[in-house]
Amino acid sequence: MESIVLFLILSIFIYFVIDRTVTKITNTPPWLLWLALMIPSFVWLIWELFFPEGSNPPAPLIYIPLIISPIIYIWLIQKGKPKQKEEKKIDSKLPLNPMTKPDLPDLNPENIPMGYKKDLPRPINAEEEKALKDCFPWGVYYLQKIDYLPQAIVCVGKLRTEPEKAYPTVKKNLERVFNDRFLVVFQETMQGKPFFALVPNPYSEENKAKQAPEKLTKPLTAIALLLLTLITTTIIGAEISGVSVEELERDFSLVLQGLPYSLCLLGILGIHELSHYLFAVFHRIKTTLPYFIPLPFFLGTFGAFISIKSPMPHRKAVFDVALAGPVGGFLVTIPVLVWGLIFSRVVPMAENASMLDFNALDPRFSLIFAVISKIIFGSQLGAGDAIALHPAAVAGYIGLIITALNLMPVGQLDGGHIVHAMFGQGKAVAIGQIARLLVILLAFIRPEFLLWAIILIFMPIADQPALNDVTELDNTRDFLGLMSLLLLIFILFPVPPIIAQLINI
């Protein structure tokens, strides 16, 4: 029954992601894309229904669907992409230049910042085009040509000064001419050449007057989801602490034994998302309140999220908002983990150790977890020992896993935003592809990473560009970004044999 519920939740989540992202770049029906992505889940669910005794599927049924599914998925996307037609001139009096793909690949529809794609730019007349050209001082950005796309008006030229000086100068000039009619985007081609693009501003005063105001903060919804998640995690926490379903039915007050787990886990998730929210507010980015996702089984929750409702102003904002979540959550995770381990106990190693066996967890699965455990238990924890985790320690351990997953340098994850801010969008895509490949290879060695591999395979690899996506980070942010990737390695990688012998674990 739990597998069916999990399958349904996963199905809804994947369909929602497809409908919000991929359908904007292809005409393939979303249900067909959803079906392609769900092939592995369908196969594994059918196996479990026919073999409920818990035997694992044979290797071909595990890996063949994982190989076939992304191939079909990508083929369907490419098959449904609209064929590019020759752009019609907006005004026969305006000098238009043809746009070639190699010049401006970053202006593919999926890379246009959120909210732009549905609104086509209004034609600008000859007087406005002349004023547009005057917005680019020769000593700041030497304008060579203006191209008109369905999604944007693109200004191509050569950068004459530092990006952090060019963008505010040009932006100020354009706003003086067009007011808030356009958003000014500053990006780079794959060849590293900066260009400006004017895209319709969905947040302009004119558009606001036409649309009903959207209420971003819904405190009642946030509180209701928080209370529901508190209930589900407390029940699961009681089960983790050893309370059976029969005991709960006889004495429901035993559910309070799950509070150490639920309060600690919600604290970790809440601080993670609240850190995102506060830094988004600091950078004046429109965002929703943190929302929790209750789950009546497994961990009791599917996590929490905030939804960004306006484009990032620059790469520094992308970096700050992305890094704040994992750092905030990690700073809560460590004391929670230490406190939980103090009440945990050392037990003999199970025959089939697993990363999710909380009654006999092998601490060697994670380098940082092993070091903390050794500090807490000292000589009690030897080479052949495992740990029976206290519910609070389970919450801390899950906090480590959540931190590692979010720091994965892929697409829409926090780590994907971080590498995008550090290295630019083009290099971030390459890093994301390498990370996905490494996790897939790791799943062959450690099956616990199979779910991670599935999530990363189907996650969009490209991150949304910032308005000023050219200005690079300062040295301090670059250093913090590298430290975050190092933290990912410390959490994700097992204890090397040399260190294991050195600390006797």
Side-chain angles (χ1 to χ4, degrees):
M1 182 63 184
E2 289 184 358
S3 299
I4 296 177
V5 176
L6 184 60
F7 174 82
L8 293 175
I9 293 175
L10 182 64
S11 301
I12 295 171
F13 175 75
I14 289 179
Y15 189 90
F16 174 78
V17 172
I18 291 174
D19 189 56
R20 290 291 299 272
T21 58
V22 185
T23 52
K24 296 175 182 178
I25 63 172
T26 181
N27 293 327
T28 304
W31 66 265
L32 195 56
L33 296 171
W34 170 86
L35 191 62
L37 287 185
M38 294 300 294
I39 288 175
S41 300
F42 275 119
V43 173
W44 301 335
L45 180 64
I46 292 172
W47 173 271
E48 185 165 335
L49 292 177
F50 279 92
F51 300 93
E53 64 276 6
S55 60
N56 294 324
L61 283 183
I62 294 177
Y63 296 112
I64 291 179
L66 282 177
I67 297 173
I68 293 177
S69 178
I71 293 175
I72 297 176
Y73 177 70
I74 294 172
W75 178 79
L76 288 173
I77 291 177
Q78 297 297 328
K79 190 74 175 175
K81 279 191 174 181
K83 295 182 179 179
Q84 292 190 351
K85 298 180 180 179
E86 185 178 355
E87 299 292 342
K88 294 182 179 180
K89 291 185 178 182
I90 298 177
D91 189 327
S92 59
K93 297 181 180 179
L94 299 182
L96 300 180
N97 295 306
M99 178 67 63
T100 57
K101 280 187 179 179
D103 287 338
L104 296 167
D106 288 315
L107 280 178
N108 286 335
E110 63 267 28
N111 289 333
I112 298 295
M114 63 184 74
Y116 307 155
K117 295 176 276 293
K118 294 181 180 179
D119 301 311
L120 299 181
R122 289 182 291 165
I124 61 175
N125 54 40
E127 183 180 348
E128 288 176 323
E129 184 181 17
K130 182 180 182 303
L132 171 64
K133 292 178 180 179
D134 293 337
C135 292
F136 296 88
W138 183 88
V140 175
Y141 188 83
Y142 176 55
L143 184 63
Q144 295 175 312
K145 64 177 180 177
I146 299 174
D147 287 298
Y148 297 88
L149 295 180
Q151 301 90 5
I153 299 174
V154 182
C155 304
V156 184
K158 292 183 179 180
L159 188 64
R160 296 286 190 178
T161 186
E162 298 296 325
E164 55 268 25
K165 296 179 182 178
Y167 181 75
T169 300
V170 173
K171 181 174 180 289
K172 183 179 179 180
N173 293 340
L174 289 170
E175 288 176 347
R176 187 177 63 250
V177 174
F178 297 104
N179 201 7
D180 63 349
R181 178 175 161 187
F182 296 106
L183 286 175
V184 182
V185 183
F186 191 31
Q187 294 186 40
E188 287 182 329
T189 67
M190 289 299 181
Q191 293 77 29
K193 297 179 180 179
F195 67 92
F196 285 86
L198 278 67
V199 293
N201 184 4
Y203 314 106
S204 66
E205 294 299 326
E206 181 181 350
N207 286 331
K208 285 181 181 179
K210 296 178 181 177
Q211 302 172 1
E214 181 184 7
K215 189 176 181 181
L216 289 178
T217 55
K218 300 177 181 179
L220 293 180
T221 302
I223 293 173
L225 289 173
L226 172 60
L227 293 177
L228 283 174
T229 309
L230 178 62
I231 294 172
T232 56
T233 51
T234 302
I235 294 174
I236 297 300
E239 295 179 5
I240 291 174
S241 65
V243 179
S244 65
V245 177
E246 293 77 13
E247 291 174 324
L248 280 177
E249 291 176 350
R250 289 195 300 267
D251 184 6
F252 193 73
S253 64
L254 293 173
V255 76
L256 297 178
Q257 295 184 23
L259 283 177
Y261 168 79
S262 62
L263 293 178
C264 290
L265 183 58
L266 292 186
I268 293 170
L269 294 173
I271 293 298
H272 179 112
E273 295 303 328
L274 188 61
S275 300
H276 283 315
Y277 175 81
L278 292 177
F279 271 83
V281 171
F282 174 78
H283 285 288
R284 299 180 181 179
I285 300 166
K286 295 181 180 179
T287 181
T288 65
L289 290 171
Y291 296 125
F292 287 87
I293 307 174
L295 198 65
F297 56 91
F298 190 41
L299 301 177
T301 178
F302 208 59
F305 70 96
I306 63 171
S307 181
I308 302 293
K309 296 297 185 179
S310 63
M312 295 285 183
H314 40 68
R315 279 160 59 174
K316 290 181 180 179
V318 174
F319 180 88
D320 292 348
V321 174
L323 185 66
V327 170
F330 182 73
L331 292 178
V332 179
T333 294
I334 294 303
V336 166
L337 181 60
V338 170
W339 177 63
L341 286 174
I342 292 174
F343 295 98
S344 302
R345 54 193 175 87
V346 176
V347 296
M349 181 70 68
E351 185 176 348
N352 296 318
S354 168
M355 290 179 64
L356 295 177
D357 185 1
F358 303 140
N359 294 318
L361 180 70
D362 184 357
R364 300 154 198 83
F365 280 132
S366 166
L367 176 58
I368 193 170
F369 184 83
V371 171
I372 294 175
S373 300
K374 188 63 178 179
I375 294 173
I376 298 297
F377 291 105
S379 59
Q380 297 180 44
L381 184 62
D385 296 326
I387 303 174
L389 297 180
H390 182 271
V394 174
Y397 176 65
I398 293 172
L400 283 180
I401 295 176
I402 292 171
T403 300
L405 179 59
N406 277 281
L407 286 176
M408 282 284 179
V410 179
Q412 305 298 314
L413 295 175
D414 293 333
H417 298 316
I418 290 171
V419 295
H420 164 210
M422 292 174 63
F423 305 109
Q425 197 172 34
K427 293 179 181 178
V429 169
I431 293 172
Q433 294 286 26
I434 294 172
R436 290 205 293 198
L437 178 60
L438 291 176
V439 174
I440 293 171
L441 294 176
L442 189 60
F444 283 91
I445 303 172
R446 297 170 63 182
E448 294 89 352
F449 286 93
L450 185 59
L451 180 60
W452 286 34
I454 295 172
I455 293 174
L456 295 182
I457 285 173
F458 299 136
M459 180 171 291
I461 196 67
D463 184 22
Q464 293 285 358
L467 293 180
N468 178 3
D469 212 49
V470 178
T471 301
E472 298 180 351
L473 302 181
D474 52 72
N475 292 334
T476 301
R477 286 183 171 86
D478 281 332
F479 175 77
L480 292 175
L482 292 175
M483 290 299 101
S484 70
L485 297 178
L486 190 61
L487 175 61
L488 169 64
I489 294 174
F490 284 159
I491 297 175
L492 194 60
F493 278 70
V495 180
I498 296 177
I499 297 179
Q501 291 178 2
L502 184 65
I503 64 177
N504 188 29
I505 191 171

